[in-house]
């Protein structure tokens, strides 16, 4: 693989949840995990990456004072019990990762997920937002998008330190660079590239 930096891949609903039957979705998720689940291992890097064995696609690492974590959140309906179970495991994963380090070990958090923050994913976002609003650190949630356009926004009024970046719809977003500065008030700078 010819890329100068390690690449991490997150799950989306077209990768498994929208594959039809429960069996087809399970098979697709296993295939995704076997081929993309620890894709960063194709590079020789010094990130201490933690993978959650219970939820495919969840990973976390601390790099230069920023906690990066991924959660498998999709916006395609799966069976209610499966969705509730995955959200509960994602909440535990997120909280465990934010509590795994001392407060002075990280200055910001970046969360990767597929689905936008909404009531459909409230089982994940409401408990996590309760912790984030008391974290006193900036948090950025980068997520995909089905129908809208690129946007930077604050999805929850009660958590002003939680910003979200919605990528261009249906995979049309070109690679972008996000820089995290030491500036506490607005540390996330996004540089978008145009498709050529």
């Amino acid at each position: 693989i010819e890329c100068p930096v390690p690449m991490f891949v997150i799950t989306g609903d077209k990768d498994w949840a929208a594959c039809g039957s429960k069996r087809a979705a399970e098979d697709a998720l296993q295939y995704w995990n076997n081929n993309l689940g620890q894709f960063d291992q194709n590079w020789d890097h010094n990130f201490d990456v933690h993978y959650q064995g219970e939820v495919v696609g969840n990973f976390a690492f601390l790099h230069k004072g920023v906690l990066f974590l991924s959660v498998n959140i999709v916006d395609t309906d799966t069976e209610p019990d499966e969705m509730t179970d995955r959200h509960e495991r994602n909440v535990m994963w997120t909280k465990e990762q934010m509590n795994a380090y001392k407060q002075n070990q990280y200055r910001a958090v970046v969360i990767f997920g597929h689905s936008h923050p909404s009531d459909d994913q409230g089982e994940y976002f409401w408990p996590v937002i309760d912790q984030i609003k008391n974290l006193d650190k900036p948090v950025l949630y980068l997520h995909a998008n089905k129908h809208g356009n690129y946007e930077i926004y604050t999805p929850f009024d009660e958590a002003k330190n939680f910003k979200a970046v919605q990528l261009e719809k249906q995979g049309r977003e070109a690679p972008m660079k996000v820089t995290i500065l030491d500036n506490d008030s607005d540390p996330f700078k996004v540089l978008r590239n145009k498709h050529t």
Side-chain angles (χ1 to χ4, degrees), residues 47-60:
F47 298 143
D48 184 17
V49 182
H50 303 273
Y51 302 95
Q52 183 185 26
E54 299 172 350
V55 180
V56 170
N58 286 5
F59 62 82

Side-chain angles (χ1 to χ4, degrees), residues 21-81:
S21 70
K22 179 180 179 184
R23 173 65 186 208
E26 289 171 352
D27 289 347
L29 187 59
Q30 184 61 49
Y31 181 82
W32 186 97
N33 192 40
N34 291 342
N35 292 281
L36 300 171
Q38 295 184 12
F39 198 68
D40 64 289
Q41 298 302 305
N42 289 299
W43 286 263
D44 183 23
H45 63 74
N46 62 356
F47 298 143
D48 184 17
V49 182
H50 303 273
Y51 302 95
Q52 183 185 26
E54 299 172 350
V55 180
V56 170
N58 286 5
F59 62 82
F61 60 92
L62 185 66
H63 181 63
K64 294 185 178 180
V66 178
L67 177 60
F68 294 89
L69 62 102
S70 171
V71 289
N72 182 338
I73 298 178
V74 296
D75 50 11
T76 295
D77 287 336
T78 58
E79 293 187 18
D81 289 345

Side-chain angles (χ1 to χ4, degrees), residues 120-155:
D120 292 339
Q121 283 71 29
E123 290 175 308
Y124 171 74
F125 283 106
W126 304 144
V128 169
I129 288 301
D130 280 342
Q131 182 165 354
I132 287 173
K133 68 184 178 185
N134 297 317
L135 190 60
D136 196 33
K137 295 181 188 302
V139 178
L140 180 67
Y141 177 63
L142 290 161
H143 66 88
N145 179 7
K146 280 188 173 179
H147 306 293
N149 295 314
Y150 173 84
E151 178 183 11
I152 298 177
Y153 63 105
T154 304

Side-chain angles (χ1 to χ4, degrees), residues 6 10 16 75 77 81 98 107 116 137 139 161 175 187 189:
I10 66 167
W16 69 278
D75 50 11
D77 287 336
D81 289 345
M98 286 194 283
R107 66 182 192 284
H116 66 287
K137 295 181 188 302
V139 178
N161 60 325
K189 302 300 177 197

